[in-house]
Amino acid sequence: MGKLTIPQEELMNSGHIGCLGCGGTLAMRYLLKALGKRTMITIPACCIAIMSGIYPRNFLKVPLLDVAFETTAASASGIRAALDAKGIHDIYVVGFGGDGGTADIGIQALSGAAERGDNIIYVMYDNEAYMNTGIQRSGATPFGAWTTTTPVGTTGDFKKRPKKNMVEIMVAHDIPYAATASVAYPEDFVRKVQKAKDMDGTKFFHVFSPCPTGWRYSPEMTIQIGVLAFQTTVFPMYEVENGVYRVTKKPAKRKPVTDYIKLQGRFKHLDDETIEVIQKTVDRNWEMLLAKAEFTKKFAE
């Protein structure tokens, strides 16, 4: 057998009830490979929260606490404080929430934890809508997307606001580490988690997690969708360590956003003019990211 590129140990049981092709389950699987058994996870209402199925089934081999939607980061902070009070410092405490539970409902608890500098890891697995309750728009839903609360119909009422930039919000809290990652690139994700896991303070990961159910594509295309998000720079791969930006992975040749959009039913209503707006936005964001990386590298220690 060839040398594995990520840890071999599996800390997810088989038989979860996630949808075929679910990116969120891959995010959890790779996260646990990076952190190992000494990990405790807290999860709000989201797709992952129901994947264990009916008791006594369990899809994780680490302790899991189900909490209210808005309390993911607060509960992680509480677990961390309790462990520290008991003198237990070798357990990683993770808040693992979807984009709705992070960018919208849970953002105040996450902001509080980051402001206090609580020593936790927070992972937002981003499937760009409230998928667990029926594909409703979230703050992380991208411009142009159909959802059940931006239904298009005859009025063209697709998502008209840009996607909330959670990495920038977390960087503004002056945390030691924030990064993007994608389930299409597990080695990059695992490396970033292993790099940041022992840093003191709040660590934030924004993980691109395609959703075949909500994005309207065939389940076997999840990794392809993730690769195209990277190649088009719709979802760039970078990290911010103590305020210093670094693009961790650059596409050899950027592809047009149409290559990414055309494979997803949630964008099928878009006309050429609207797609051009999206392309210009992606171009601008990519150039800004490169500029930040160039400007901040002089502050690297």
Side-chain angles (χ1 to χ4, degrees), residues 22 160 170 264:
C22 172
K160 298 295 178 61
M170 296 309 295
Q264 303 172 56

mmCIF file of all heavy atoms in Angstrom, residues 22 160 170 264:
data_model
loop_
_atom_site.group_PDB
_atom_site.id
_atom_site.type_symbol
_atom_site.label_atom_id
_atom_site.label_comp_id
_atom_site.label_asym_id
_atom_site.label_seq_id
_atom_site.Cartn_x
_atom_site.Cartn_y
_atom_site.Cartn_z
ATOM 1 N N CYS A 22 -22.574 14.138 0.788
ATOM 2 C CA CYS A 22 -22.579 15.251 1.746
ATOM 3 C C CYS A 22 -21.159 15.733 2.037
ATOM 4 O O CYS A 22 -20.316 14.976 2.519
ATOM 5 C CB CYS A 22 -23.255 14.814 3.039
ATOM 6 S SG CYS A 22 -23.110 16.037 4.368
ATOM 7 N N LYS A 160 -29.868 38.276 -3.436
ATOM 8 C CA LYS A 160 -29.385 39.535 -4.009
ATOM 9 C C LYS A 160 -28.258 40.177 -3.210
ATOM 10 O O LYS A 160 -27.756 41.224 -3.600
ATOM 11 C CB LYS A 160 -30.562 40.516 -4.113
ATOM 12 C CG LYS A 160 -31.684 40.049 -5.035
ATOM 13 C CD LYS A 160 -31.218 39.949 -6.474
ATOM 14 C CE LYS A 160 -32.290 39.450 -7.392
ATOM 15 N NZ LYS A 160 -33.495 40.281 -7.476
ATOM 16 N N MET A 170 -13.717 37.117 11.598
ATOM 17 C CA MET A 170 -12.919 36.508 12.670
ATOM 18 C C MET A 170 -11.535 37.143 12.756
ATOM 19 O O MET A 170 -10.994 37.312 13.852
ATOM 20 C CB MET A 170 -12.827 34.999 12.451
ATOM 21 C CG MET A 170 -14.172 34.284 12.529
ATOM 22 S SD MET A 170 -15.127 34.682 14.006
ATOM 23 C CE MET A 170 -14.078 33.995 15.275
ATOM 24 N N GLN A 264 -24.615 23.468 -11.332
ATOM 25 C CA GLN A 264 -25.505 23.503 -10.176
ATOM 26 C C GLN A 264 -26.882 24.074 -10.531
ATOM 27 O O GLN A 264 -26.988 25.190 -11.039
ATOM 28 C CB GLN A 264 -24.880 24.351 -9.068
ATOM 29 C CG GLN A 264 -23.507 23.860 -8.640
ATOM 30 C CD GLN A 264 -22.853 24.823 -7.683
ATOM 31 O OE1 GLN A 264 -23.403 25.159 -6.634
ATOM 32 N NE2 GLN A 264 -21.662 25.285 -8.034
#
